[in-house]
Amino acid sequence: HHLMDTPELTNDDLLSTTRTVRRRLDLERPVARHLVEECLALAQQAPTGGNRQSWGFVVVTDPERRAALAEVYRRGWERYTRDGVAPEGAPGVPVRDEASKRRQRRIGASAAYLAEHMHRVPVLVIPCIVGRTDDAPTVVQASSYGSILPAVWSFMLAARARGLGTAWTTIHLFHERDAAEVLGIPFDDVMQVAMIPLAHTVGLDFKPGTREPLETFVHWDAW
C-alpha cells in the first residue's frame, strides 16, 4: 500500500490517536484483503485466558450480508435511542458542563450518521468468543471478555497504523441472535462482543481526545 496512506506514528502517538472513527470512514474506497489479514495476524498475538485463543473473527465484505447486518444494527440503534442500555433504575453518567453536553451531542450525531451508513462501510468485523456468559458470575464474565477485548483492541491499533479507521460498536447485540443467523454463528456456543466497521480514513490527522485530569479517575491504594 502507498506510504502516503500510512501515518508516521510512534507507539505513544498510536495509543493516543486511535479514535472512534464514524464520519471520517471512507465509504467509497475498498480495503485490500491483505491489510485486514495483517491486522488480524497482530490481533492473534494478544493474550487470552489460559492462552486458549478461543476467538472467532467474522470478517464481512459481502454486500448483502453487510446490508443485513446494518439492518440489525439500525434496529438496535432505534431501540437504543428510545430506551438506552442501562437497566431500569441504574445510575446514569452525570453530564457536568456545557462542553461535555456539546461533546455528547456531537457523539450522538456522529453515531446516528454511522447507523444510517453502516451498510456502506466496506468491511464489518464481528469479534466473537466461544462460550456464553449470560447470567454467569463476574469472574467468568471478566475472564471471557478479558480474553477477547485485547485482541480486538490490537486489531484496531493495527488498523490505525495502516491508515484505517474503526469504531467499537455494540448496539447490534440487542438483536445478537438475528446477526448470528445472518452469519451462521452458532448462537448457543459462541458470543458476539462487537461490530467493528473498518475503512480507510478521510485524512490521517487524528489527535488525542479531550480527557479529564488523571486525579479524577485514579485512586491510589483505595477508592
Side-chain angles (χ1 to χ4, degrees):
H1 53 301
H2 306 302
L3 286 176
M4 58 180 278
D5 287 343
T6 309
E8 287 290 314
L9 298 170
T10 65
N11 289 341
D12 284 7
D13 289 337
L14 178 66
L15 291 167
S16 59
T17 64
T18 299
R19 306 256 64 84
T20 296
V21 187
R22 300 184 189 98
R23 289 184 191 275
R24 287 178 61 185
L25 295 170
D26 190 334
L27 303 175
E28 306 302 325
R29 188 175 168 191
V31 176
R33 182 173 175 137
H34 75 89
L35 288 179
V36 183
E37 288 176 341
E38 285 173 21
C39 296
L40 291 166
L42 287 164
Q44 267 188 301
Q45 293 297 325
T48 55
N51 196 25
R52 282 189 298 274
Q53 299 169 43
S54 47
W55 311 297
F57 279 58
V58 185
V59 182
V60 188
T61 57
D62 173 72
E64 279 181 29
R65 288 188 194 224
R66 282 189 288 125
L69 282 181
E71 192 48 48
V72 173
Y73 186 88
R74 265 191 293 277
R75 282 194 285 126
W77 173 251
E78 282 161 19
R79 180 164 161 186
Y80 171 72
T81 49
R82 192 179 65 237
D83 304 333
V85 291
E88 285 298 312
V93 180
V95 176
R96 283 182 289 282
D97 51 35
E98 270 312 307
S100 297
K101 283 183 188 156
R102 273 200 304 278
R103 265 203 307 279
Q104 287 306 117
R105 277 199 297 272
R106 263 207 316 279
I107 291 169
S110 160
Y113 169 87
L114 183 61
E116 194 183 327
H117 295 280
M118 190 69 90
H119 62 287
R120 297 178 57 204
V121 178
V123 184
L124 298 176
V125 178
I126 314 285
C128 305
I129 187 129
V130 175
R132 299 202 66 81
T133 61
D134 313 72
D135 307 317
T138 305
V139 63
V140 175
Q141 294 179 47
S143 162
S144 187
Y145 281 104
S147 290
I148 179 75
L149 300 193
V152 185
W153 187 232
S154 289
F155 176 84
M156 294 167 86
L157 291 168
R160 164 73 176 136
R162 286 159 178 74
L164 301 167
T166 56
W168 196 303
T169 82
T170 51
I171 282 173
H172 86 286
L173 296 171
F174 275 123
H175 304 288
E176 185 195 355
R177 193 182 283 277
D178 293 345
E181 281 178 20
V182 170
L183 300 174
I185 296 169
F187 180 85
D188 295 330
D189 306 317
V190 175
M191 185 168 67
Q192 300 165 51
V193 299
M195 184 190 296
I196 313 289
L198 176 75
H200 285 278
T201 58
V202 178
L204 300 170
D205 54 325
F206 293 88
K207 297 182 174 52
T210 308
R211 295 293 183 262
E212 299 294 330
L214 277 191
E215 61 270 16
T216 60
F217 78 97
V218 177
H219 308 274
W220 289 88
D221 294 324
W223 186 276

